[in-house]
């Protein structure tokens, strides 16, 4: 397939719309759509909240609101138009009804009820339709949705903060504050971009965090997920205040008498299999995917961080490094058994480096063997 420079430019515009809509649209993909005729943008739109318009419908409405017709236009859409009846009618049918002249999708939708059928429906109606323009970029924008529907687990971003010598707290547990106020604001923005934030019982016991977004724009508060296999946390912990945001408690304990105080606070309980009092993490992630969680952020201690990395369940790590040293008698980032060979190290690809305030922020992709 061959795409022009203009095709690339308009798809980039659609991808920007998609990125801005991703959190709003979850658990649906935040798709972007741009309508172009004779080199002029005549309509654009992005997916609304669940039950609202998809991107193509928003773009068509925008076109009509400008007093124009979408007939003969090219539709640039970041994900293949849907072909099935869900909460809304099929977008492919609407594009056909509006006499769209051409459809360019960044990628085929892997969701089993679409999976190429949207492109086929358009082609059967005589509309030239193809996919594959800026697909790599689209996969990044839609990575949460794609992870949920193809891997049955969310896209997982692990956030951690440390000194330059890799320490997250002093030996006595003091950790406020490792990083600057600028870095902490950046973390709040990162939380706002995720559907849920996950932590462990150790962090709840040590810090009593809220894990809400308080210092960044936020369309809706992410849910909080506490991993507490043995039910060591108190139901009075601040994270279980569900007037702030929804909270899920993942545990191996099935004793209703022990669970009742959490349930009374409105906490959603996930009683899951486990071993030695530890929750089965793949089972937890499958449950979260089933509940519509596309993107999951982890803010936890060394134990849970290490367990997730060892299990190959972290897709991206965002590491904030503060420019000072505290020495070796302090707490580290990731706990796992001592390695006997450097061949067993976990390599990471650095995909982004930037300064946030006085701190350094690294975005890293683990390369699992």
């Amino acid at each position: 397939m061959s795409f022009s420079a203009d095709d690339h430019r308009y798809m980039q515009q659609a991808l920007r719309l998609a990125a801005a809509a991703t959190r709003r649209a979850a658990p649906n993909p935040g798709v972007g759509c741009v309508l172009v005729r004779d080199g002029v943008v005549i309509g654009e739109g992005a997916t609304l909240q669940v039950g609202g318009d998809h991107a193509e419908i928003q773009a068509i409405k925008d076109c009509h609101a400008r007093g124009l017709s979408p007939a003969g236009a090219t539709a640039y859409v970041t994900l293949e138009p849907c072909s099935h009846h869900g909460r809304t009618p099929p977008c492919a049918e609407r594009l056909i009804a509006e006499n769209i002249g051409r459809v360019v999708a960044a990628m085929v939708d892997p969701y089993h009820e679409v999976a190429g059928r949207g492109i086929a429906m358009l082609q059967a109606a005589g509309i030239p339709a193809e996919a594959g323009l800026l697909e790599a970029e689209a996969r990044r924008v839609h990575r949460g949705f794609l992870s949920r529907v193809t891997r049955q687990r969310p896209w997982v971003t692990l956030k951690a903060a440390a000194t330059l010598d890799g320490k997250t707290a002093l030996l006595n547990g003091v950790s406020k504050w490792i990083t600057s106020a600028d870095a902490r604001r950046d973390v709040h923005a990162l939380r706002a971009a995720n559907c849920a934030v996950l932590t462990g019982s150790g962090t709840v016991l040590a810090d009593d965090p809220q894990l809400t977004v308080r210092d960044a724009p936020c369309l809706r508060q992410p849910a909080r997920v506490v991993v507490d296999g043995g039910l060591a946390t108190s139901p009075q912990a601040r994270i279980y205040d569900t007037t702030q945001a929804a909270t899920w408690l993942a545990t191996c304990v099935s004793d209703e008498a022990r669970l009742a105080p959490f349930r009374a606070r409105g906490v959603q309980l996930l009683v899951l299999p486990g071993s030695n009092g530890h929750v089965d993490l793949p089972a937890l992630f499958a449950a979260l995917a089933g509940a519509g969680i596309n993107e999951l952020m982890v803010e936890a201690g060394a134990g849970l961080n290490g367990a997730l990395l060892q299990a190959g369940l972290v897709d991206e790590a965002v590491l904030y490094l503060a420019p000072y040293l505290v020495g070796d008698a302090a707490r580290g980032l990731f706990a796992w058994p001592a390695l006997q060979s450097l061949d067993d190290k976990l390599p990471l690809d650095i995909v982004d480096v930037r300064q946030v305030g006085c701190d350094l922020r690294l975005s890293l992709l683990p390369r699992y063997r």
Side-chain angles (χ1 to χ4, degrees):
M1 64 188 73
S2 178
F3 297 106
S4 70
D6 282 343
D7 288 337
H8 281 78
R9 179 159 57 91
Y10 296 127
M11 185 61 78
Q12 287 169 344
Q13 184 172 340
L15 286 165
R16 288 192 291 271
L17 293 168
T22 293
R23 181 69 182 92
R24 174 182 73 195
N28 290 336
V31 177
C33 179
V34 175
L35 301 178
V36 179
R37 187 173 58 229
D38 299 328
V40 177
V41 173
I42 61 171
E44 61 181 27
T47 309
L48 300 181
Q49 293 90 342
V50 172
D53 288 341
H54 289 189
E56 298 92 327
I57 309 306
Q58 279 287 288
I60 289 168
K61 286 182 176 180
D62 181 42
C63 179
H64 287 306
R66 301 181 192 206
L68 301 171
S69 167
T74 295
Y76 296 90
V77 60
T78 61
L79 194 66
E80 173 188 10
C82 63
S83 56
H84 65 293
H85 285 267
R87 294 184 179 91
T88 59
C91 293
E93 284 187 358
R94 181 64 181 274
L95 292 170
I96 293 167
E98 296 285 348
N99 295 312
I100 290 292
R102 175 185 177 222
V103 175
V104 178
M107 61 177 294
V108 170
D109 187 343
Y111 183 57
H112 66 91
E113 292 203 60
V114 186
R117 294 182 183 88
I119 296 291
M121 181 182 292
L122 293 163
Q123 291 173 340
I127 297 173
E130 51 192 331
L133 174 59
L134 298 180
E135 180 170 349
E137 291 85 344
R139 285 189 173 278
R140 179 162 181 82
V141 169
H142 297 310
R143 62 187 184 175
F145 170 76
L146 297 175
S147 179
R148 183 172 63 80
V149 302
T150 63
R151 302 190 299 177
Q152 289 73 57
R153 67 175 181 85
W155 177 272
V156 177
T157 300
L158 187 154
K159 165 263 167 184
T163 60
L164 279 180
D165 48 353
K167 304 302 180 181
T168 62
L170 302 181
L171 199 58
N172 62 8
V174 173
S175 62
K176 294 184 178 179
W177 292 103
I178 290 285
T179 52
S180 66
D182 290 318
R184 295 196 296 276
R185 279 191 290 272
D186 196 65
V187 170
H188 279 252
L190 190 60
R191 282 181 194 165
N194 282 266
C195 298
V197 180
L198 178 142
T199 194
S201 57
T203 299
V204 174
L205 292 169
D207 300 334
D208 194 21
Q210 298 178 74
L211 294 185
T212 53
V213 179
R214 302 179 301 281
D215 205 7
C218 184
L219 291 170
R220 50 178 167 162
Q221 286 287 343
R224 288 85 55 87
V225 183
V226 179
V227 182
D228 185 2
L231 217 56
T233 56
S234 166
Q236 299 309 311
R238 293 197 298 172
I239 202 166
Y240 297 125
D241 178 2
T242 56
T243 64
Q244 301 294 312
T247 304
W248 293 336
L249 171 59
T251 184
C252 303
V253 174
S254 58
D255 182 351
E256 182 55 38
R258 295 181 64 190
L259 296 174
F262 297 94
R263 199 186 301 277
R265 295 203 72 185
V267 175
Q268 300 177 59
L269 300 172
L270 296 172
V271 178
L272 298 166
S275 60
N276 299 319
H278 297 293
V279 169
D280 183 308
L281 295 173
L284 169 59
F285 284 8
L288 294 177
I293 299 298
N294 287 347
E295 296 93 8
L296 177 68
M297 179 177 172
V298 176
E299 295 191 62
L304 184 52
N305 285 346
L308 289 167
L309 282 165
Q310 282 192 292
L313 294 174
V314 174
D315 297 302
E316 180 176 19
V318 177
L319 178 59
Y320 296 85
L321 292 176
Y324 50 83
L325 310 172
V326 296
D328 65 335
R331 301 183 182 184
L333 280 165
F334 309 111
W336 57 52
L339 303 182
Q340 302 304 311
S341 168
L342 282 175
D343 291 339
D344 298 326
K345 64 184 179 295
L346 176 61
L348 304 114
D349 292 326
I350 299 174
V351 295
D352 184 67
V353 180
R354 66 184 68 179
Q355 188 167 341
V356 180
C358 62
D359 303 311
L360 197 63
R361 169 180 154 155
L362 304 178
S363 295
L364 310 147
L365 300 180
R367 282 191 282 120
Y368 300 109
R369 294 180 175 83

